[in-house]
Amino acid sequence: MEIEPLLKQISTDLFLEYERQDWGIINSCSDRVEEFINYFNKNNEFPTNIQFELFELIVASFNDLILEHKEDNTTTNLFVNFVVSNSRKPFLDIIDYWKGIYNEEEFPVAKYFPVIK
């Protein structure tokens, strides 16, 4: 399945900007982590390439949430459970990417990934 029409539809559904390159990073929003996780979970029939884009959106959004000091137990637990329950290919590639660029000042989200091997 071609990714562009579906990603454009998801962008419309979620009121996000459609930009093919780095879609998840461009559209990250710390205030919408829970909404994005719920959308991902409700649409688990999406093709893998679309799920990959949504997963990246969620991780980038949670990274922003940490940087903006908006962490709370509910959202953090939701995020950690989401990552753990989706710690399989192709999402391991995203997890490995964020682990590889980890630093506390810019990319702290990887500190939530140590349980994933």
Side-chain angles (χ1 to χ4, degrees):
M1 173 178 236
E2 192 176 328
I3 190 172
E4 291 206 30
L6 189 50
L7 196 56
K8 284 180 181 177
Q9 182 58 52
I10 291 168
S11 297
T12 299
D13 290 349
L14 293 173
F15 304 101
L16 301 173
E17 180 181 334
Y18 175 76
E19 171 61 47
R20 182 64 196 102
Q21 187 171 348
D22 297 326
W23 179 84
I25 294 169
I26 289 168
N27 287 298
S28 67
C29 180
S30 63
D31 295 327
R32 299 180 70 189
V33 171
E34 184 176 345
E35 175 188 356
F36 294 153
I37 290 173
N38 289 335
Y39 187 86
F40 180 97
N41 290 336
K42 288 179 185 171
N43 294 285
N44 60 2
E45 77 283 352
F46 282 151
T48 302
N49 53 358
I50 294 294
Q51 290 180 351
F52 185 92
E53 297 290 338
L54 287 167
F55 194 94
E56 179 71 23
L57 172 68
I58 292 164
V59 173
S61 295
F62 193 76
N63 191 72
D64 289 347
L65 181 135
I66 297 166
L67 292 173
E68 295 169 15
H69 307 287
K70 295 180 178 179
E71 288 176 275
D72 63 62
N73 287 337
T74 302
T75 306
T76 299
N77 289 336
L78 180 67
F79 177 76
V80 169
N81 289 332
F82 169 77
V83 170
V84 169
S85 68
N86 289 288
S87 59
R88 63 185 187 286
K89 284 284 187 183
F91 310 122
L92 287 176
D93 293 337
I94 297 171
I95 291 167
D96 287 343
Y97 169 78
W98 285 92
K99 284 170 108 173
I101 63 170
Y102 171 76
N103 74 57
E104 198 62 39
E105 291 77 38
E106 288 184 86
F107 308 111
V109 70
K111 69 184 174 186
Y112 291 96
F113 298 154
V115 295
I116 307 206
K117 299 184 186 223

